[in-house]
Amino acid sequence: MPFSSKIPRILDTAKQLAISQKDSSVKKPHVLLALMQSNDDLVSHLLQTMRSKKTSIIETLEKSLISGKKQETSDLQFSAEIKSVMDTATREAEKLGATTTEPIHLFLAFTLDPSFENIWKTHGVSYQTALDTLKNIYGAEGKTLTPFLTEFGS
């Protein structure tokens, strides 16, 4: 399944974040932070509907990136763990009947990732809550979310 045009932009931003942090590779927190900073309408609307503060999640992620091994490199690569998250995002897109993998699917994939469990718990986010909220926003459980994704410009 192809990625929407927004996904490569998110990955490019993640790479720039890793470079600015002098990290040795692009890791999941870089991609999640880039996703949260992307201002994707549907992800923002979902978080707002769930009463989760996006800015607080961003601050938590930024703090988590401050620590860790720093190493300036000119040939920054994506870590192997990124492929797993992208594969999960694609499966989420397929489950929801989408024709492309969108930022919302990437968000759902990150809610399934145990390494972010504490962040999600702190901010009242879970995979099931996100999925249920998404379906409630759309208003038609069991139907494809493609028309809804189109409406939000994903």
Side-chain angles (χ1 to χ4, degrees), residues 2-3 8 10 15 27 33 35 37 40 53 56 58 61 64 67 76 78 87 103 105-106 111 118 121 129 131 141:
F3 293 119
I10 289 168
K15 189 171 187 175
K27 299 176 182 77
L33 180 56
L35 171 64
Q37 291 176 337
D40 180 75
K53 295 199 184 306
S56 182
I58 289 171
L61 287 166
S64 75
S67 62
L76 204 62
F78 286 88
D87 289 345
H105 304 120
L106 186 55
T111 64
N118 288 338
K121 189 179 281 190
T129 304
L131 189 60
E141 190 167 343

mmCIF file with all atom_site columns, all heavy atoms in Angstrom, residues 2-3 8 10 15 27 33 35 37 40 53 56 58 61 64 67 76 78 87 103 105-106 111 118 121 129 131 141:
data_model
loop_
_atom_site.group_PDB
_atom_site.id
_atom_site.type_symbol
_atom_site.label_atom_id
_atom_site.label_alt_id
_atom_site.label_comp_id
_atom_site.label_asym_id
_atom_site.label_entity_id
_atom_site.label_seq_id
_atom_site.pdbx_PDB_ins_code
_atom_site.Cartn_x
_atom_site.Cartn_y
_atom_site.Cartn_z
_atom_site.occupancy
_atom_site.B_iso_or_equiv
_atom_site.pdbx_formal_charge
_atom_site.auth_seq_id
_atom_site.auth_comp_id
_atom_site.auth_asym_id
_atom_site.auth_atom_id
_atom_site.pdbx_PDB_model_num
ATOM 1   N N   . PRO A 1 2   ? 0.586   2.197  -0.864 1.00 0.00 ? 2   PRO A N   1
ATOM 2   C CA  . PRO A 1 2   ? 1.428   3.399  -0.922 1.00 0.00 ? 2   PRO A CA  1
ATOM 3   C C   . PRO A 1 2   ? 1.211   4.326  0.277  1.00 0.00 ? 2   PRO A C   1
ATOM 4   O O   . PRO A 1 2   ? 0.163   4.290  0.928  1.00 0.00 ? 2   PRO A O   1
ATOM 5   C CB  . PRO A 1 2   ? 0.968   4.084  -2.219 1.00 0.00 ? 2   PRO A CB  1
ATOM 6   C CG  . PRO A 1 2   ? -0.414  3.588  -2.452 1.00 0.00 ? 2   PRO A CG  1
ATOM 7   C CD  . PRO A 1 2   ? -0.480  2.202  -1.852 1.00 0.00 ? 2   PRO A CD  1
ATOM 8   N N   . PHE A 1 3   ? 2.219   5.140  0.530  1.00 0.00 ? 3   PHE A N   1
ATOM 9   C CA  . PHE A 1 3   ? 2.114   6.160  1.570  1.00 0.00 ? 3   PHE A CA  1
ATOM 10  C C   . PHE A 1 3   ? 1.584   7.443  0.945  1.00 0.00 ? 3   PHE A C   1
ATOM 11  O O   . PHE A 1 3   ? 1.891   7.752  -0.206 1.00 0.00 ? 3   PHE A O   1
ATOM 12  C CB  . PHE A 1 3   ? 3.486   6.448  2.185  1.00 0.00 ? 3   PHE A CB  1
ATOM 13  C CG  . PHE A 1 3   ? 4.061   5.305  2.959  1.00 0.00 ? 3   PHE A CG  1
ATOM 14  C CD1 . PHE A 1 3   ? 5.251   4.727  2.587  1.00 0.00 ? 3   PHE A CD1 1
ATOM 15  C CD2 . PHE A 1 3   ? 3.409   4.808  4.084  1.00 0.00 ? 3   PHE A CD2 1
ATOM 16  C CE1 . PHE A 1 3   ? 5.795   3.670  3.303  1.00 0.00 ? 3   PHE A CE1 1
ATOM 17  C CE2 . PHE A 1 3   ? 3.944   3.756  4.805  1.00 0.00 ? 3   PHE A CE2 1
ATOM 18  C CZ  . PHE A 1 3   ? 5.136   3.189  4.413  1.00 0.00 ? 3   PHE A CZ  1
ATOM 19  N N   . PRO A 1 8   ? 6.306   10.944 3.693  1.00 0.00 ? 8   PRO A N   1
ATOM 20  C CA  . PRO A 1 8   ? 7.714   11.298 3.450  1.00 0.00 ? 8   PRO A CA  1
ATOM 21  C C   . PRO A 1 8   ? 8.110   12.637 4.083  1.00 0.00 ? 8   PRO A C   1
ATOM 22  O O   . PRO A 1 8   ? 9.241   12.793 4.544  1.00 0.00 ? 8   PRO A O   1
ATOM 23  C CB  . PRO A 1 8   ? 7.815   11.365 1.920  1.00 0.00 ? 8   PRO A CB  1
ATOM 24  C CG  . PRO A 1 8   ? 6.710   10.496 1.442  1.00 0.00 ? 8   PRO A CG  1
ATOM 25  C CD  . PRO A 1 8   ? 5.605   10.651 2.444  1.00 0.00 ? 8   PRO A CD  1
ATOM 26  N N   . ILE A 1 10  ? 6.919   13.817 6.893  1.00 0.00 ? 10  ILE A N   1
ATOM 27  C CA  . ILE A 1 10  ? 7.092   13.526 8.323  1.00 0.00 ? 10  ILE A CA  1
ATOM 28  C C   . ILE A 1 10  ? 8.445   12.860 8.548  1.00 0.00 ? 10  ILE A C   1
ATOM 29  O O   . ILE A 1 10  ? 9.180   13.211 9.474  1.00 0.00 ? 10  ILE A O   1
ATOM 30  C CB  . ILE A 1 10  ? 5.933   12.650 8.845  1.00 0.00 ? 10  ILE A CB  1
ATOM 31  C CG1 . ILE A 1 10  ? 4.645   13.482 8.894  1.00 0.00 ? 10  ILE A CG1 1
ATOM 32  C CG2 . ILE A 1 10  ? 6.256   12.047 10.213 1.00 0.00 ? 10  ILE A CG2 1
ATOM 33  C CD1 . ILE A 1 10  ? 3.378   12.679 9.115  1.00 0.00 ? 10  ILE A CD1 1
ATOM 34  N N   . LYS A 1 15  ? 14.160  13.148 10.297 1.00 0.00 ? 15  LYS A N   1
ATOM 35  C CA  . LYS A 1 15  ? 15.602  13.115 10.011 1.00 0.00 ? 15  LYS A CA  1
ATOM 36  C C   . LYS A 1 15  ? 16.252  14.438 10.417 1.00 0.00 ? 15  LYS A C   1
ATOM 37  O O   . LYS A 1 15  ? 17.337  14.446 11.016 1.00 0.00 ? 15  LYS A O   1
ATOM 38  C CB  . LYS A 1 15  ? 15.839  12.834 8.528  1.00 0.00 ? 15  LYS A CB  1
ATOM 39  C CG  . LYS A 1 15  ? 17.278  12.562 8.182  1.00 0.00 ? 15  LYS A CG  1
ATOM 40  C CD  . LYS A 1 15  ? 17.431  12.068 6.759  1.00 0.00 ? 15  LYS A CD  1
ATOM 41  C CE  . LYS A 1 15  ? 18.858  11.636 6.503  1.00 0.00 ? 15  LYS A CE  1
ATOM 42  N NZ  . LYS A 1 15  ? 19.014  11.037 5.175  1.00 0.00 ? 15  LYS A NZ  1
ATOM 43  N N   . LYS A 1 27  ? 15.299  7.653  15.036 1.00 0.00 ? 27  LYS A N   1
ATOM 44  C CA  . LYS A 1 27  ? 14.624  6.649  15.855 1.00 0.00 ? 27  LYS A CA  1
ATOM 45  C C   . LYS A 1 27  ? 13.130  6.966  15.970 1.00 0.00 ? 27  LYS A C   1
ATOM 46  O O   . LYS A 1 27  ? 12.682  8.026  15.548 1.00 0.00 ? 27  LYS A O   1
ATOM 47  C CB  . LYS A 1 27  ? 15.269  6.588  17.238 1.00 0.00 ? 27  LYS A CB  1
ATOM 48  C CG  . LYS A 1 27  ? 16.743  6.184  17.191 1.00 0.00 ? 27  LYS A CG  1
ATOM 49  C CD  . LYS A 1 27  ? 17.368  6.221  18.568 1.00 0.00 ? 27  LYS A CD  1
ATOM 50  C CE  . LYS A 1 27  ? 18.833  5.862  18.512 1.00 0.00 ? 27  LYS A CE  1
ATOM 51  N NZ  . LYS A 1 27  ? 19.682  6.933  18.037 1.00 0.00 ? 27  LYS A NZ  1
ATOM 52  N N   . LEU A 1 33  ? 7.619   12.559 17.153 1.00 0.00 ? 33  LEU A N   1
ATOM 53  C CA  . LEU A 1 33  ? 7.658   14.000 17.367 1.00 0.00 ? 33  LEU A CA  1
ATOM 54  C C   . LEU A 1 33  ? 7.361   14.735 16.055 1.00 0.00 ? 33  LEU A C   1
ATOM 55  O O   . LEU A 1 33  ? 6.581   15.694 16.034 1.00 0.00 ? 33  LEU A O   1
ATOM 56  C CB  . LEU A 1 33  ? 9.013   14.432 17.934 1.00 0.00 ? 33  LEU A CB  1
ATOM 57  C CG  . LEU A 1 33  ? 9.193   15.922 18.212 1.00 0.00 ? 33  LEU A CG  1
ATOM 58  C CD1 . LEU A 1 33  ? 8.111   16.452 19.147 1.00 0.00 ? 33  LEU A CD1 1
ATOM 59  C CD2 . LEU A 1 33  ? 10.578  16.187 18.790 1.00 0.00 ? 33  LEU A CD2 1
ATOM 60  N N   . LEU A 1 35  ? 5.605   13.626 13.591 1.00 0.00 ? 35  LEU A N   1
ATOM 61  C CA  . LEU A 1 35  ? 4.171   13.424 13.340 1.00 0.00 ? 35  LEU A CA  1
ATOM 62  C C   . LEU A 1 35  ? 3.345   14.410 14.163 1.00 0.00 ? 35  LEU A C   1
ATOM 63  O O   . LEU A 1 35  ? 2.433   15.062 13.647 1.00 0.00 ? 35  LEU A O   1
ATOM 64  C CB  . LEU A 1 35  ? 3.771   11.986 13.672 1.00 0.00 ? 35  LEU A CB  1
ATOM 65  C CG  . LEU A 1 35  ? 2.274   11.671 13.661 1.00 0.00 ? 35  LEU A CG  1
ATOM 66  C CD1 . LEU A 1 35  ? 1.689   11.840 12.272 1.00 0.00 ? 35  LEU A CD1 1
ATOM 67  C CD2 . LEU A 1 35  ? 2.034   10.258 14.177 1.00 0.00 ? 35  LEU A CD2 1
ATOM 68  N N   . GLN A 1 37  ? 4.269   17.237 15.366 1.00 0.00 ? 37  GLN A N   1
ATOM 69  C CA  . GLN A 1 37  ? 4.528   18.610 14.930 1.00 0.00 ? 37  GLN A CA  1
ATOM 70  C C   . GLN A 1 37  ? 3.992   18.895 13.528 1.00 0.00 ? 37  GLN A C   1
ATOM 71  O O   . GLN A 1 37  ? 3.961   20.042 13.106 1.00 0.00 ? 37  GLN A O   1
ATOM 72  C CB  . GLN A 1 37  ? 6.029   18.897 14.953 1.00 0.00 ? 37  GLN A CB  1
ATOM 73  C CG  . GLN A 1 37  ? 6.624   18.946 16.331 1.00 0.00 ? 37  GLN A CG  1
ATOM 74  C CD  . GLN A 1 37  ? 8.125   19.140 16.313 1.00 0.00 ? 37  GLN A CD  1
ATOM 75  O OE1 . GLN A 1 37  ? 8.799   18.832 15.334 1.00 0.00 ? 37  GLN A OE1 1
ATOM 76  N NE2 . GLN A 1 37  ? 8.659   19.645 17.422 1.00 0.00 ? 37  GLN A NE2 1
ATOM 77  N N   . ASP A 1 40  ? -1.097  17.611 11.267 1.00 0.00 ? 40  ASP A N   1
ATOM 78  C CA  . ASP A 1 40  ? -2.074  16.862 10.490 1.00 0.00 ? 40  ASP A CA  1
ATOM 79  C C   . ASP A 1 40  ? -3.453  17.107 11.100 1.00 0.00 ? 40  ASP A C   1
ATOM 80  O O   . ASP A 1 40  ? -3.662  16.930 12.301 1.00 0.00 ? 40  ASP A O   1
ATOM 81  C CB  . ASP A 1 40  ? -1.737  15.367 10.514 1.00 0.00 ? 40  ASP A CB  1
ATOM 82  C CG  . ASP A 1 40  ? -2.745  14.566 9.722  1.00 0.00 ? 40  ASP A CG  1
ATOM 83  O OD1 . ASP A 1 40  ? -2.689  14.619 8.478  1.00 0.00 ? 40  ASP A OD1 1
ATOM 84  O OD2 . ASP A 1 40  ? -3.610  13.912 10.343 1.00 0.00 ? 40  ASP A OD2 1
ATOM 85  N N   . LYS A 1 53  ? -3.744  16.837 25.322 1.00 0.00 ? 53  LYS A N   1
ATOM 86  C CA  . LYS A 1 53  ? -3.038  18.062 24.947 1.00 0.00 ? 53  LYS A CA  1
ATOM 87  C C   . LYS A 1 53  ? -1.827  17.724 24.082 1.00 0.00 ? 53  LYS A C   1
ATOM 88  O O   . LYS A 1 53  ? -0.823  17.198 24.566 1.00 0.00 ? 53  LYS A O   1
ATOM 89  C CB  . LYS A 1 53  ? -2.622  18.816 26.191 1.00 0.00 ? 53  LYS A CB  1
ATOM 90  C CG  . LYS A 1 53  ? -3.806  19.318 26.998 1.00 0.00 ? 53  LYS A CG  1
ATOM 91  C CD  . LYS A 1 53  ? -3.388  20.425 27.923 1.00 0.00 ? 53  LYS A CD  1
ATOM 92  C CE  . LYS A 1 53  ? -4.487  20.909 28.812 1.00 0.00 ? 53  LYS A CE  1
ATOM 93  N NZ  . LYS A 1 53  ? -5.698  21.326 28.205 1.00 0.00 ? 53  LYS A NZ  1
ATOM 94  N N   . SER A 1 56  ? 1.515   19.180 25.161 1.00 0.00 ? 56  SER A N   1
ATOM 95  C CA  . SER A 1 56  ? 2.117   18.471 26.288 1.00 0.00 ? 56  SER A CA  1
ATOM 96  C C   . SER A 1 56  ? 2.809   17.190 25.821 1.00 0.00 ? 56  SER A C   1
ATOM 97  O O   . SER A 1 56  ? 3.882   16.841 26.313 1.00 0.00 ? 56  SER A O   1
ATOM 98  C CB  . SER A 1 56  ? 1.042   18.161 27.330 1.00 0.00 ? 56  SER A CB  1
ATOM 99  O OG  . SER A 1 56  ? 1.603   17.515 28.436 1.00 0.00 ? 56  SER A OG  1
ATOM 100 N N   . ILE A 1 58  ? 4.088   16.764 22.839 1.00 0.00 ? 58  ILE A N   1
ATOM 101 C CA  . ILE A 1 58  ? 5.282   17.232 22.136 1.00 0.00 ? 58  ILE A CA  1
ATOM 102 C C   . ILE A 1 58  ? 6.392   17.568 23.131 1.00 0.00 ? 58  ILE A C   1
ATOM 103 O O   . ILE A 1 58  ? 7.546   17.169 22.940 1.00 0.00 ? 58  ILE A O   1
ATOM 104 C CB  . ILE A 1 58  ? 4.945   18.445 21.231 1.00 0.00 ? 58  ILE A CB  1
ATOM 105 C CG1 . ILE A 1 58  ? 4.110   17.980 20.035 1.00 0.00 ? 58  ILE A CG1 1
ATOM 106 C CG2 . ILE A 1 58  ? 6.215   19.160 20.769 1.00 0.00 ? 58  ILE A CG2 1
ATOM 107 C CD1 . ILE A 1 58  ? 3.541   19.101 19.185 1.00 0.00 ? 58  ILE A CD1 1
ATOM 108 N N   . LEU A 1 61  ? 7.968   14.407 24.473 1.00 0.00 ? 61  LEU A N   1
ATOM 109 C CA  . LEU A 1 61  ? 8.835   13.788 23.467 1.00 0.00 ? 61  LEU A CA  1
ATOM 110 C C   . LEU A 1 61  ? 10.142  14.560 23.314 1.00 0.00 ? 61  LEU A C   1
ATOM 111 O O   . LEU A 1 61  ? 11.222  13.960 23.207 1.00 0.00 ? 61  LEU A O   1
ATOM 112 C CB  . LEU A 1 61  ? 8.113   13.701 22.117 1.00 0.00 ? 61  LEU A CB  1
ATOM 113 C CG  . LEU A 1 61  ? 7.010   12.654 22.026 1.00 0.00 ? 61  LEU A CG  1
ATOM 114 C CD1 . LEU A 1 61  ? 6.151   12.895 20.802 1.00 0.00 ? 61  LEU A CD1 1
ATOM 115 C CD2 . LEU A 1 61  ? 7.600   11.256 22.016 1.00 0.00 ? 61  LEU A CD2 1
ATOM 116 N N   . SER A 1 64  ? 12.429  13.695 26.082 1.00 0.00 ? 64  SER A N   1
ATOM 117 C CA  . SER A 1 64  ? 12.987  12.345 25.961 1.00 0.00 ? 64  SER A CA  1
ATOM 118 C C   . SER A 1 64  ? 14.124  12.296 24.951 1.00 0.00 ? 64  SER A C   1
ATOM 119 O O   . SER A 1 64  ? 15.010  11.448 25.046 1.00 0.00 ? 64  SER A O   1
ATOM 120 C CB  . SER A 1 64  ? 11.899  11.337 25.582 1.00 0.00 ? 64  SER A CB  1
ATOM 121 O OG  . SER A 1 64  ? 11.543  11.447 24.213 1.00 0.00 ? 64  SER A OG  1
ATOM 122 N N   . SER A 1 67  ? 18.103  13.440 26.219 1.00 0.00 ? 67  SER A N   1
ATOM 123 C CA  . SER A 1 67  ? 19.066  12.473 26.756 1.00 0.00 ? 67  SER A CA  1
ATOM 124 C C   . SER A 1 67  ? 19.454  11.486 25.665 1.00 0.00 ? 67  SER A C   1
ATOM 125 O O   . SER A 1 67  ? 18.795  11.365 24.649 1.00 0.00 ? 67  SER A O   1
ATOM 126 C CB  . SER A 1 67  ? 18.449  11.723 27.942 1.00 0.00 ? 67  SER A CB  1
ATOM 127 O OG  . SER A 1 67  ? 17.321  11.010 27.507 1.00 0.00 ? 67  SER A OG  1
ATOM 128 N N   . LEU A 1 76  ? 23.132  10.043 8.085  1.00 0.00 ? 76  LEU A N   1
ATOM 129 C CA  . LEU A 1 76  ? 22.165  9.588  9.079  1.00 0.00 ? 76  LEU A CA  1
ATOM 130 C C   . LEU A 1 76  ? 21.199  8.577  8.458  1.00 0.00 ? 76  LEU A C   1
ATOM 131 O O   . LEU A 1 76  ? 20.624  8.823  7.399  1.00 0.00 ? 76  LEU A O   1
ATOM 132 C CB  . LEU A 1 76  ? 21.393  10.803 9.597  1.00 0.00 ? 76  LEU A CB  1
ATOM 133 C CG  . LEU A 1 76  ? 20.770  10.694 10.948 1.00 0.00 ? 76  LEU A CG  1
ATOM 134 C CD1 . LEU A 1 76  ? 21.820  10.480 12.023 1.00 0.00 ? 76  LEU A CD1 1
ATOM 135 C CD2 . LEU A 1 76  ? 20.003  11.963 11.252 1.00 0.00 ? 76  LEU A CD2 1
ATOM 136 N N   . PHE A 1 78  ? 17.879  5.666  9.031  1.00 0.00 ? 78  PHE A N   1
ATOM 137 C CA  . PHE A 1 78  ? 16.725  5.336  9.851  1.00 0.00 ? 78  PHE A CA  1
ATOM 138 C C   . PHE A 1 78  ? 17.014  4.027  10.582 1.00 0.00 ? 78  PHE A C   1
ATOM 139 O O   . PHE A 1 78  ? 17.545  3.085  9.996  1.00 0.00 ? 78  PHE A O   1
ATOM 140 C CB  . PHE A 1 78  ? 15.464  5.189  8.994  1.00 0.00 ? 78  PHE A CB  1
ATOM 141 C CG  . PHE A 1 78  ? 14.930  6.505  8.517  1.00 0.00 ? 78  PHE A CG  1
ATOM 142 C CD1 . PHE A 1 78  ? 15.373  7.069  7.339  1.00 0.00 ? 78  PHE A CD1 1
ATOM 143 C CD2 . PHE A 1 78  ? 13.986  7.199  9.269  1.00 0.00 ? 78  PHE A CD2 1
ATOM 144 C CE1 . PHE A 1 78  ? 14.897  8.293  6.903  1.00 0.00 ? 78  PHE A CE1 1
ATOM 145 C CE2 . PHE A 1 78  ? 13.504  8.417  8.850  1.00 0.00 ? 78  PHE A CE2 1
ATOM 146 C CZ  . PHE A 1 78  ? 13.961  8.976  7.664  1.00 0.00 ? 78  PHE A CZ  1
ATOM 147 N N   . ASP A 1 87  ? 5.322   -0.629 9.000  1.00 0.00 ? 87  ASP A N   1
ATOM 148 C CA  . ASP A 1 87  ? 4.543   -1.824 8.655  1.00 0.00 ? 87  ASP A CA  1
ATOM 149 C C   . ASP A 1 87  ? 3.238   -1.869 9.449  1.00 0.00 ? 87  ASP A C   1
ATOM 150 O O   . ASP A 1 87  ? 2.185   -2.201 8.908  1.00 0.00 ? 87  ASP A O   1
ATOM 151 C CB  . ASP A 1 87  ? 5.353   -3.098 8.920  1.00 0.00 ? 87  ASP A CB  1
ATOM 152 C CG  . ASP A 1 87  ? 6.487   -3.303 7.938  1.00 0.00 ? 87  ASP A CG  1
ATOM 153 O OD1 . ASP A 1 87  ? 6.512   -2.634 6.879  1.00 0.00 ? 87  ASP A OD1 1
ATOM 154 O OD2 . ASP A 1 87  ? 7.376   -4.139 8.229  1.00 0.00 ? 87  ASP A OD2 1
ATOM 155 N N   . PRO A 1 103 ? -1.044  9.833  7.924  1.00 0.00 ? 103 PRO A N   1
ATOM 156 C CA  . PRO A 1 103 ? -0.530  10.136 9.264  1.00 0.00 ? 103 PRO A CA  1
ATOM 157 C C   . PRO A 1 103 ? -1.377  9.549  10.394 1.00 0.00 ? 103 PRO A C   1
ATOM 158 O O   . PRO A 1 103 ? -0.823  9.114  11.401 1.00 0.00 ? 103 PRO A O   1
ATOM 159 C CB  . PRO A 1 103 ? -0.520  11.668 9.292  1.00 0.00 ? 103 PRO A CB  1
ATOM 160 C CG  . PRO A 1 103 ? -0.283  12.052 7.871  1.00 0.00 ? 103 PRO A CG  1
ATOM 161 C CD  . PRO A 1 103 ? -1.073  11.033 7.087  1.00 0.00 ? 103 PRO A CD  1
ATOM 162 N N   . HIS A 1 105 ? -2.836  6.738  10.472 1.00 0.00 ? 105 HIS A N   1
ATOM 163 C CA  . HIS A 1 105 ? -2.474  5.324  10.610 1.00 0.00 ? 105 HIS A CA  1
ATOM 164 C C   . HIS A 1 105 ? -1.135  5.192  11.327 1.00 0.00 ? 105 HIS A C   1
ATOM 165 O O   . HIS A 1 105 ? -0.938  4.279  12.134 1.00 0.00 ? 105 HIS A O   1
ATOM 166 C CB  . HIS A 1 105 ? -2.421  4.640  9.239  1.00 0.00 ? 105 HIS A CB  1
ATOM 167 C CG  . HIS A 1 105 ? -3.704  4.781  8.478  1.00 0.00 ? 105 HIS A CG  1
ATOM 168 N ND1 . HIS A 1 105 ? -3.768  5.394  7.250  1.00 0.00 ? 105 HIS A ND1 1
ATOM 169 C CD2 . HIS A 1 105 ? -4.970  4.439  8.803  1.00 0.00 ? 105 HIS A CD2 1
ATOM 170 C CE1 . HIS A 1 105 ? -5.022  5.398  6.834  1.00 0.00 ? 105 HIS A CE1 1
ATOM 171 N NE2 . HIS A 1 105 ? -5.771  4.827  7.763  1.00 0.00 ? 105 HIS A NE2 1
ATOM 172 N N   . LEU A 1 106 ? -0.241  6.131  11.049 1.00 0.00 ? 106 LEU A N   1
ATOM 173 C CA  . LEU A 1 106 ? 1.040   6.154  11.748 1.00 0.00 ? 106 LEU A CA  1
ATOM 174 C C   . LEU A 1 106 ? 0.812   6.445  13.234 1.00 0.00 ? 106 LEU A C   1
ATOM 175 O O   . LEU A 1 106 ? 1.411   5.820  14.105 1.00 0.00 ? 106 LEU A O   1
ATOM 176 C CB  . LEU A 1 106 ? 1.959   7.204  11.109 1.00 0.00 ? 106 LEU A CB  1
ATOM 177 C CG  . LEU A 1 106 ? 3.396   7.297  11.595 1.00 0.00 ? 106 LEU A CG  1
ATOM 178 C CD1 . LEU A 1 106 ? 4.111   5.952  11.492 1.00 0.00 ? 106 LEU A CD1 1
ATOM 179 C CD2 . LEU A 1 106 ? 4.141   8.368  10.801 1.00 0.00 ? 106 LEU A CD2 1
ATOM 180 N N   . THR A 1 111 ? 0.431   4.253  18.916 1.00 0.00 ? 111 THR A N   1
ATOM 181 C CA  . THR A 1 111 ? -0.324  3.950  20.143 1.00 0.00 ? 111 THR A CA  1
ATOM 182 C C   . THR A 1 111 ? -0.202  2.477  20.510 1.00 0.00 ? 111 THR A C   1
ATOM 183 O O   . THR A 1 111 ? -0.444  2.114  21.667 1.00 0.00 ? 111 THR A O   1
ATOM 184 C CB  . THR A 1 111 ? -1.824  4.326  20.030 1.00 0.00 ? 111 THR A CB  1
ATOM 185 O OG1 . THR A 1 111 ? -2.450  3.526  19.028 1.00 0.00 ? 111 THR A OG1 1
ATOM 186 C CG2 . THR A 1 111 ? -2.011  5.803  19.738 1.00 0.00 ? 111 THR A CG2 1
ATOM 187 N N   . ASN A 1 118 ? 4.110   4.794  28.510 1.00 0.00 ? 118 ASN A N   1
ATOM 188 C CA  . ASN A 1 118 ? 4.052   5.783  29.592 1.00 0.00 ? 118 ASN A CA  1
ATOM 189 C C   . ASN A 1 118 ? 3.559   7.138  29.098 1.00 0.00 ? 118 ASN A C   1
ATOM 190 O O   . ASN A 1 118 ? 2.784   7.812  29.783 1.00 0.00 ? 118 ASN A O   1
ATOM 191 C CB  . ASN A 1 118 ? 5.407   5.937  30.280 1.00 0.00 ? 118 ASN A CB  1
ATOM 192 C CG  . ASN A 1 118 ? 5.736   4.732  31.135 1.00 0.00 ? 118 ASN A CG  1
ATOM 193 O OD1 . ASN A 1 118 ? 4.855   3.990  31.545 1.00 0.00 ? 118 ASN A OD1 1
ATOM 194 N ND2 . ASN A 1 118 ? 7.013   4.532  31.392 1.00 0.00 ? 118 ASN A ND2 1
ATOM 195 N N   . LYS A 1 121 ? -0.214  6.761  28.418 1.00 0.00 ? 121 LYS A N   1
ATOM 196 C CA  . LYS A 1 121 ? -0.958  6.635  29.678 1.00 0.00 ? 121 LYS A CA  1
ATOM 197 C C   . LYS A 1 121 ? -1.061  7.995  30.371 1.00 0.00 ? 121 LYS A C   1
ATOM 198 O O   . LYS A 1 121 ? -2.136  8.379  30.849 1.00 0.00 ? 121 LYS A O   1
ATOM 199 C CB  . LYS A 1 121 ? -0.279  5.618  30.591 1.00 0.00 ? 121 LYS A CB  1
ATOM 200 C CG  . LYS A 1 121 ? -1.093  5.269  31.830 1.00 0.00 ? 121 LYS A CG  1
ATOM 201 C CD  . LYS A 1 121 ? -0.378  4.242  32.685 1.00 0.00 ? 121 LYS A CD  1
ATOM 202 C CE  . LYS A 1 121 ? -0.577  2.872  32.070 1.00 0.00 ? 121 LYS A CE  1
ATOM 203 N NZ  . LYS A 1 121 ? -0.110  1.783  32.953 1.00 0.00 ? 121 LYS A NZ  1
ATOM 204 N N   . THR A 1 129 ? -8.985  3.615  22.539 1.00 0.00 ? 129 THR A N   1
ATOM 205 C CA  . THR A 1 129 ? -9.655  4.905  22.680 1.00 0.00 ? 129 THR A CA  1
ATOM 206 C C   . THR A 1 129 ? -9.513  5.726  21.405 1.00 0.00 ? 129 THR A C   1
ATOM 207 O O   . THR A 1 129 ? -10.475 6.352  20.942 1.00 0.00 ? 129 THR A O   1
ATOM 208 C CB  . THR A 1 129 ? -9.068  5.691  23.878 1.00 0.00 ? 129 THR A CB  1
ATOM 209 O OG1 . THR A 1 129 ? -9.182  4.893  25.048 1.00 0.00 ? 129 THR A OG1 1
ATOM 210 C CG2 . THR A 1 129 ? -9.785  7.009  24.086 1.00 0.00 ? 129 THR A CG2 1
ATOM 211 N N   . LEU A 1 131 ? -8.979  4.599  18.333 1.00 0.00 ? 131 LEU A N   1
ATOM 212 C CA  . LEU A 1 131 ? -9.771  3.975  17.278 1.00 0.00 ? 131 LEU A CA  1
ATOM 213 C C   . LEU A 1 131 ? -11.262 4.238  17.481 1.00 0.00 ? 131 LEU A C   1
ATOM 214 O O   . LEU A 1 131 ? -11.968 4.611  16.539 1.00 0.00 ? 131 LEU A O   1
ATOM 215 C CB  . LEU A 1 131 ? -9.491  2.470  17.237 1.00 0.00 ? 131 LEU A CB  1
ATOM 216 C CG  . LEU A 1 131 ? -10.073 1.701  16.062 1.00 0.00 ? 131 LEU A CG  1
ATOM 217 C CD1 . LEU A 1 131 ? -9.537  2.241  14.738 1.00 0.00 ? 131 LEU A CD1 1
ATOM 218 C CD2 . LEU A 1 131 ? -9.756  0.219  16.199 1.00 0.00 ? 131 LEU A CD2 1
ATOM 219 N N   . GLU A 1 141 ? -19.360 3.255  12.360 1.00 0.00 ? 141 GLU A N   1
ATOM 220 C CA  . GLU A 1 141 ? -18.521 2.095  12.667 1.00 0.00 ? 141 GLU A CA  1
ATOM 221 C C   . GLU A 1 141 ? -18.743 1.014  11.613 1.00 0.00 ? 141 GLU A C   1
ATOM 222 O O   . GLU A 1 141 ? -19.866 0.758  11.190 1.00 0.00 ? 141 GLU A O   1
ATOM 223 C CB  . GLU A 1 141 ? -18.859 1.551  14.046 1.00 0.00 ? 141 GLU A CB  1
ATOM 224 C CG  . GLU A 1 141 ? -17.880 0.510  14.505 1.00 0.00 ? 141 GLU A CG  1
ATOM 225 C CD  . GLU A 1 141 ? -18.023 0.192  15.970 1.00 0.00 ? 141 GLU A CD  1
ATOM 226 O OE1 . GLU A 1 141 ? -18.635 0.972  16.696 1.00 0.00 ? 141 GLU A OE1 1
ATOM 227 O OE2 . GLU A 1 141 ? -17.509 -0.857 16.355 1.00 0.00 ? 141 GLU A OE2 1
#
